[in-house]
Amino acid sequence: MCAYRRYELIFLTATIQEWKPILQNDELKSIITDSLSFLARDKRIYLCGFCIMNNHMHLLIQVIEPHAIEDVQRDFLKYTAQKILKNLKDNNAELYETLRVDAKDRKYQVWKRNPLSVPLRTEAVVKQKLDYIHENPVKAGLCKHPEDYLFSSAYFYETGEDNWGFITHYIFD
């Protein structure tokens, strides 16, 4: 049975404020993968696909009941933003200052507000989004083949090996 038939898969895109390429450092990308790993281990999500680029990320997730997409998304983005800001404050003050904003509720902002969150209801659309996610680093010139890009689920779909330990194939029983 396919996951997207039992539960709804979500295509989520979160963008760094003003598309700043702050995620060029793999240590910052690891903050995101560590958080995704936690969400999967804690049985809040199934992560069926992902790609973390220098200024945005795409996720293909399925939220596990009783959790709600809004809560998981909010907590994930808030947590990763706090960890990224702390890392930048400690290790790259110049880049940290580029995230300063003039807002009533915060001094710094990592993620652009209102990330794209689209429900996927057919296998064809799921495959199309997964291909789109995996082709991102190729189109950006970061690698020649999708499976060569480390911060992606492309290697899993190409080889069947989950080198992250938290990816679930979008078709599972």
Side-chain angles (χ1 to χ4, degrees):
M1 180 181 289
C2 298
Y4 54 85
R5 290 192 184 138
R6 291 191 308 181
Y7 309 101
E8 196 167 79
L9 285 176
I10 305 292
F11 174 70
L12 175 69
T13 298
T15 306
I16 299 295
Q17 183 72 7
E18 298 177 2
W19 290 88
K20 293 177 180 154
I22 66 164
L23 298 175
Q24 291 176 328
N25 179 327
D26 287 354
E27 188 176 341
L28 296 178
K29 288 183 183 98
S30 292
I31 290 170
I32 296 168
T33 56
D34 290 348
S35 184
L36 291 171
S37 177
F38 169 79
L39 291 172
R41 280 191 329 270
D42 200 45
K43 305 221 182 301
R44 295 183 195 189
I45 65 166
Y46 293 114
L47 181 71
C48 299
F50 79 100
C51 184
I52 304 168
M53 301 294 288
N54 293 338
N55 57 11
H56 69 286
M57 69 176 157
H58 299 293
L59 307 176
L60 186 59
I61 64 171
Q62 179 179 38
V63 176
I64 301 171
E65 291 183 354
H67 304 284
I69 182 63
E70 299 82 12
D71 297 337
V72 171
Q73 180 177 297
R74 178 198 62 233
D75 295 347
F76 168 69
L77 294 175
K78 182 178 179 180
Y79 177 80
T80 55
Q82 289 171 343
K83 295 289 277 187
I84 289 167
L85 286 171
K86 178 167 181 0
N87 182 289
L88 290 175
K89 185 177 182 181
D90 294 346
N91 301 305
N92 191 333
E94 186 177 323
L95 191 54
Y96 173 74
E97 285 303 317
T98 69
L99 297 172
R100 184 180 288 275
V101 293
D102 185 25
K104 292 179 184 177
D105 63 339
R106 68 193 71 211
K107 292 181 182 178
Y108 297 88
Q109 185 166 337
V110 173
W111 301 110
K112 189 175 170 183
R113 291 185 187 254
N114 303 316
L116 177 68
S117 185
V118 178
L120 308 178
R121 294 189 174 91
T122 68
E123 183 174 1
V125 174
V126 170
K127 286 181 179 179
Q128 183 267 331
K129 291 299 184 192
L130 202 53
D131 288 344
Y132 174 80
I133 288 171
H134 292 157
E135 287 294 327
N136 250 225
V138 175
K139 289 180 181 175
L142 300 175
C143 60
K144 189 172 180 179
H145 306 286
E147 62 273 13
D148 295 337
Y149 188 68
L150 176 62
F151 287 93
S152 166
S153 56
Y155 183 80
F156 169 76
Y157 281 97
E158 181 66 26
T159 67
E161 295 177 39
D162 182 4
N163 54 354
W164 291 103
F166 57 74
I167 302 171
T168 300
H169 198 288
Y170 73 91
I171 298 175
F172 63 93
D173 292 325

